[in-house]
Amino acid sequence: MAWSPAHIPDQSGRTALITGASGGIGLETARVLADRGAHVLLACRNVGRGRAAAARIGGSTEVVRLDLACLDSVREASAWVHARHERLDLLVNNAGVMFPPYRRTEDGFEAHFGVNHLGHFALTGLLLDLMTAVPGSRIVTVASLTHRAGLGALDEGGARSSAGRRSLTAYGRSKLANLLFARELHHRLATAGAATASFAAHPGLSPTGLWQGDVPRLLRPVAGAGLRWLAQPADRAAWPALSAATDPHVPGGAYLGPSQFFESRGTPAPARSSRVSRDVAAQHRLWQLSEGLTGVRYAFPSARAEAESSGAVCPVTGARG
């Protein structure tokens, strides 16, 4: 039977944080979780929009200011959550930028890579101590079909490039990083014996606000009539992330996406991904780079090879940056 939000178990007593929850797919994700009884933290750059979204959602909600383009803001958001909550059941790394009007983040990173990947890498590490002892806790990182366009090296030079504003390659590279991160995170959580599992999901195509910018010429046909023909509305596009966040039958480490029309729309199902996204060495290299660039270090085994050779299990205590 095809999955739908009707299959979501009661979420009463659970606390979920969704980034970019003031609109689009993030708002729909928050709305469904709140409707199922979860207490939902809407992490938004614009607090006013976040409060308006919370009013629309109803249920039990809070709004936390989070600007993923600023690592100081990420740390402040983490401190805010820690001051008010002793546990976190769900973290949905949903927020993102696509062809933004600015070139670099406040910390000097290429905007796609800095917001879509590094901001979420830091946030996850800083909140992880609230999750790793919580049975059934899950982290869902939202990737994209365009991860296949993520060509070029994931290194410090690319992370600090100023040439990514209208680059499909730069956006794809950030989405590839999302997948590499989600998979490496799941491996490290499992190795550490944590109660938390990591997942990835992609929404297919959806006419959200991300498409309202100055898209590259190559994507303009898709952004016009093609998007209207292939896309699904934001409420349906949220289904893969919601399934990853709540479906007890989905195994940890899974990557979900729409099942129809080349994964552009349809009910959630296991998604295909590029060979590079499954490269264990690439996952580890990105992890090392991300720790160095953000200053947030996870208390996990430092490498797959070390963990496998030593047989040691590292206790998970979370991270502080």
Side-chain angles (χ1 to χ4, degrees):
M1 181 181 296
W3 188 92
S4 78
H7 294 90
I8 295 178
D10 181 28
Q11 299 294 297
S12 297
R14 309 193 83 197
T15 299
L17 187 150
I18 298 99
T19 68
S22 63
I25 294 168
L27 173 61
E28 294 301 327
T29 303
R31 181 184 61 78
V32 172
L33 291 174
D35 185 61
R36 295 299 185 274
H39 177 68
V40 181
L41 308 183
L42 287 74
C44 309
R45 183 171 58 88
N46 186 313
V47 173
R49 289 188 62 195
R51 288 173 179 160
R56 290 173 57 191
I57 289 170
S60 179
T61 61
E62 291 178 271
V63 178
V64 53
R65 185 183 183 279
L66 171 66
D67 183 356
L68 291 164
C70 174
L71 290 175
D72 282 345
S73 176
V74 174
R75 291 181 172 88
E76 289 168 2
S78 169
W80 187 96
V81 175
H82 276 87
R84 290 162 176 80
H85 297 278
E86 295 182 353
R87 58 179 278 170
L88 190 62
D89 297 82
L90 296 175
L91 171 60
V92 182
N93 292 322
N94 161 80
V97 296
M98 186 167 72
F99 320 129
Y102 53 89
R103 292 181 178 270
R104 296 194 185 188
T105 69
E106 290 191 22
D107 303 284
F109 303 122
E110 189 278 313
H112 295 100
F113 192 75
V115 172
N116 298 353
H117 170 61
L118 290 177
H120 282 125
F121 179 92
L123 181 69
T124 302
L126 292 167
L127 294 176
L128 202 57
D129 62 320
L130 298 178
M131 304 190 72
T132 50
V134 178
S137 55
R138 296 187 175 197
I139 298 164
V140 181
T141 301
V142 178
S144 169
L145 284 167
T146 59
H147 79 273
R148 296 177 181 275
L151 307 176
L154 288 166
D155 56 19
E156 185 165 359
R160 297 191 182 278
S161 170
S162 61
R165 185 176 73 85
R166 292 186 58 208
S167 169
L168 176 60
T169 297
Y171 178 69
R173 193 157 49 235
S174 73
K175 294 286 107 180
L176 172 60
N178 288 154
L179 261 181
L180 292 168
F181 165 59
R183 286 171 168 161
E184 180 71 5
L185 176 61
H186 182 69
H187 166 78
R188 295 187 179 221
L189 288 165
T191 299
T196 309
S198 170
F199 302 78
H202 79 81
L205 291 176
S206 183
T208 64
L210 286 180
W211 287 93
Q212 294 175 8
D214 187 12
V215 301
R217 185 181 302 274
L218 180 64
L219 286 183
R220 288 176 187 172
V222 178
L227 185 62
R228 290 192 295 272
W229 179 64
L230 290 171
Q232 56 187 357
D235 60 338
R236 292 292 296 267
W239 286 16
L242 284 165
S243 177
T246 63
D247 189 344
H249 302 294
V250 176
Y255 176 41
L256 302 183
S259 57
Q260 301 172 4
F261 296 100
F262 306 99
E263 298 186 12
S264 66
R265 57 192 294 183
T267 54
R272 294 170 292 180
S273 64
S274 68
R275 179 185 56 80
V276 175
S277 73
R278 301 189 301 273
D279 188 312
V280 169
Q283 293 166 15
H284 177 60
R285 286 195 302 271
L286 176 66
W287 190 280
Q288 290 182 307
L289 173 69
S290 303
E291 286 192 334
L293 294 177
T294 64
V296 175
R297 298 188 180 276
Y298 290 59
F300 287 135
S302 61
R304 291 174 187 257
E306 290 180 10
E308 291 168 359
S309 63
S310 68
V313 176
C314 177
V316 181
T317 60
R320 286 288 185 271

